[in-house]
Amino acid sequence: MTFTVLITIIERYLLVVLFFPFSALDKIINFKGAVGQAQQAVPSTAAATGLILLGLGVEILMPLGILTGVADRLAGFILAGYCGVTALLWKQFWKPGDFWHRGDSKGRDLFWDFLKNFSLAGGFLLITFGTTSATVMSFFHDPLASTHPYSQVDRP
């Protein structure tokens, strides 16, 4: 394994480590608690269970796509959306009403988590669309294509 391939593996793993294995494992170990948290967004136990199972699938399969390079652009796109939805549903910094108060603030704490989710989504979108405007359309032409992250040859 070359140094450049090792760097690529590390940078991709740093993007997904939150989900795979940690968040996925937490959902498995603490499934009942995860369903309880999902019920904050949807009161139905069946719907909350479905959301957790869907999230578990996303948190396992999409990081594997990013790490292996198999349909990694689509996997990045899905994880970016997952981060955005998570921020909007569970990091609602505007709800506590104490964002502008001095001292401790639940709203400000949630705000930083909200921004972290959107920043992480940006990292996934770099995999999806590339780092230049010249590579954006390649995703729309073939969303299942790989970026060939471990190739030693430059690809568009």
Side-chain angles (χ1 to χ4, degrees):
M1 179 180 317
T2 67
F3 178 71
T4 56
V5 170
L6 181 62
I7 292 295
T8 304
I9 290 170
I10 290 170
E11 71 185 11
R12 284 175 172 254
Y13 189 67
L14 287 173
L15 269 176
V16 301
V17 69
L18 172 68
F19 303 106
F20 186 77
F22 296 108
S23 184
L25 187 59
D26 183 54
K27 280 180 179 55
I28 292 168
I29 292 170
N30 187 24
F31 191 79
K32 188 176 179 178
V35 170
Q37 183 183 19
Q39 283 182 294
Q40 295 172 8
V42 290
S44 162
T45 302
T49 301
L51 281 177
I52 294 303
L53 291 173
L54 180 65
L56 192 55
V58 167
E59 290 182 357
I60 292 171
L61 296 174
M62 298 311 114
L64 289 175
I66 288 171
L67 290 170
T68 62
V70 175
D72 58 342
R73 288 179 171 169
L74 182 60
F77 187 74
I78 291 169
L79 270 172
Y82 185 75
C83 289
V85 167
T86 299
L88 291 170
L89 291 179
W90 284 281
K91 306 300 179 187
Q92 297 176 351
F93 64 90
W94 55 90
K95 278 197 171 177
D98 65 353
F99 186 81
W100 297 108
H101 295 172
R102 285 187 180 184
D104 290 341
S105 165
K106 177 114 171 107
R108 274 196 308 279
D109 291 345
L110 286 170
F111 176 71
W112 294 116
D113 288 341
F114 181 89
L115 282 183
K116 287 175 196 175
N117 274 34
F118 276 98
S119 293
L120 187 55
F124 291 128
L125 290 175
L126 283 173
I127 290 174
T128 302
F129 297 118
T131 58
T132 68
S133 62
T135 59
V136 169
M137 289 311 292
S138 64
F139 172 72
F140 294 109
H141 287 109
D142 189 4
L144 294 176
S146 172
T147 61
H148 305 283
Y150 307 114
S151 170
Q152 299 293 314
V153 179
D154 237 356
R155 295 176 190 254

